[in-house]
Amino acid sequence: MTDALELDALWEDFHRVVNMTSQELAAWLRVSDADEETEPLPDQAGPPMGQHVLAILQKRRTDLTNDDLQVMYDVVDTVTAEADMENEPEPEQTRRRHQLMTIGHDPLKP
């Protein structure tokens, strides 16, 4: 487990980059996983990483597991690495936006 200062910094970074609420993320995961023929159960919608981010958003800091911490690090790293999407063509921007939204970050949201 990480020390208190590192955990505080990670908690702040995670909640800074995950700018969607748990309700917004849950709705997006359901929409992104739906297609014409099948739609998963609401609690099974979206990729495992998106489901894990949703679970973390619903936890208190004291309830985090080591797996949660790893996902939080991964999300912060992913969003930070993908932050500069402005120079991409529109279809690529949309694809990347949708990928980031599956982990709780909407680049168009202030």
Side-chain angles (χ1 to χ4, degrees):
M1 193 65 104
T2 59
D3 66 21
L5 289 176
E6 189 176 350
L7 179 59
D8 288 346
L10 176 60
W11 182 263
E12 293 299 320
D13 287 345
F14 178 79
H15 283 88
R16 177 181 46 81
V17 300
V18 176
N19 62 0
M20 296 170 71
T21 66
S22 59
Q23 294 87 3
E24 290 170 332
L25 178 55
W28 172 253
L29 293 176
R30 285 191 303 272
V31 167
S32 68
D33 232 17
D35 65 22
E36 293 178 9
E37 297 179 18
T38 63
E39 185 172 346
L41 297 172
D43 61 339
Q44 297 173 354
M49 177 78 98
Q51 292 175 11
H52 203 143
V53 169
L54 183 59
I56 292 169
L57 289 174
Q58 297 167 344
K59 288 185 175 187
R60 297 176 304 178
R61 187 182 328 205
T62 57
D63 296 332
L64 296 173
T65 65
N66 285 333
D67 286 343
D68 294 338
L69 297 177
Q70 186 58 54
V71 167
M72 291 170 73
Y73 280 118
D74 291 346
V75 168
V76 170
D77 290 346
T78 299
V79 172
T80 302
E82 293 288 332
D84 188 22
M85 297 182 354
E86 297 171 4
N87 297 327
E88 296 292 330
E90 183 61 33
E92 185 66 16
Q93 282 184 14
T94 300
R95 185 185 68 76
R96 285 193 180 170
R97 176 180 181 229
H98 291 174
Q99 287 177 334
L100 289 171
M101 287 174 69
T102 64
I103 59 171
H105 179 77
D106 184 351
L108 300 182
K109 191 174 180 181

